[in-house]
Amino acid sequence: FVIQSCTLSEHGHYWVIRANSEDFVVRGILERCYVGVNAYLVNTASGEIETVGSGQSVEQDLEDKYDAIVAGAKHYVLGPNFDKTDKAAVIRLRQKLECSLQRAMHLVSPESGCWLIGKRRTLSNAQAMLQHEGIATSIQLQESPGSAVPIDDSVWHWNALKSALNRMESK
């Protein structure tokens, strides 16, 4: 292996090291490129080394780490940013989730709690999809997520998000 680059992360907590075969880095022989690793993160305080896979973004991985530090023991949760008195919003929710009006009213009631739990970045993507559908939501840090459905990066399109929300409503 030969180091291609070594940079300090934006907050200075990790060295981001990219490396590959000598033939690829020095000689540019594409057939000798190793795949599977995007970068190695070296913690500047502990020296601990973590691997970021080739299908992952170093920036997203670092963002997730910093968000976890901010959260501490709390959880990032996404829930409605309206209540059952907002009739237009409740009807829009019912239409988009294709559920009964009674179920939509339950989803926005205080007893229902939050809808989704996950990494802040993942919930931000879900929030953007919901906003695109006209559904106002908020992301908060809470000690107990209640019956919120966990989501991850596999929920990146509307049908997957709608399915996750429908799993939540069946609890």
Side-chain angles (χ1 to χ4, degrees), residues 26-37:
V26 177
R27 296 176 190 85
I29 302 171
L30 297 177
E31 295 83 17
R32 298 300 208 133
C33 177
Y34 293 133
V35 295
V37 175

Side-chain angles (χ1 to χ4, degrees), residues 25 45 47 77 97 99-100 168 170:
V25 175
V77 292
L97 295 184
C99 65
S100 69
M168 183 265 158
S170 66

Side-chain angles (χ1 to χ4, degrees), residues 47-108:
E48 180 183 343
I49 300 172
E50 298 176 47
T51 303
V52 179
S54 61
Q56 299 172 281
S57 159
V58 171
E59 293 75 19
Q60 288 178 345
D61 192 71
L62 289 170
E63 179 183 348
D64 292 345
K65 288 179 187 321
Y66 294 130
D67 288 342
I69 290 168
V70 170
K74 294 183 179 182
H75 306 274
Y76 287 102
V77 292
L78 180 139
N81 199 19
F82 59 95
D83 61 25
K84 58 185 173 183
T85 62
D86 187 341
K87 306 275 189 237
V90 172
I91 289 170
R92 189 175 315 104
L93 178 66
R94 183 200 72 75
Q95 291 170 335
K96 296 299 179 177
L97 295 184
E98 299 174 7
C99 65
S100 69
L101 184 57
Q102 185 178 25
R103 176 48 91 185
M105 294 284 281
H106 172 72
L107 286 172
V108 298

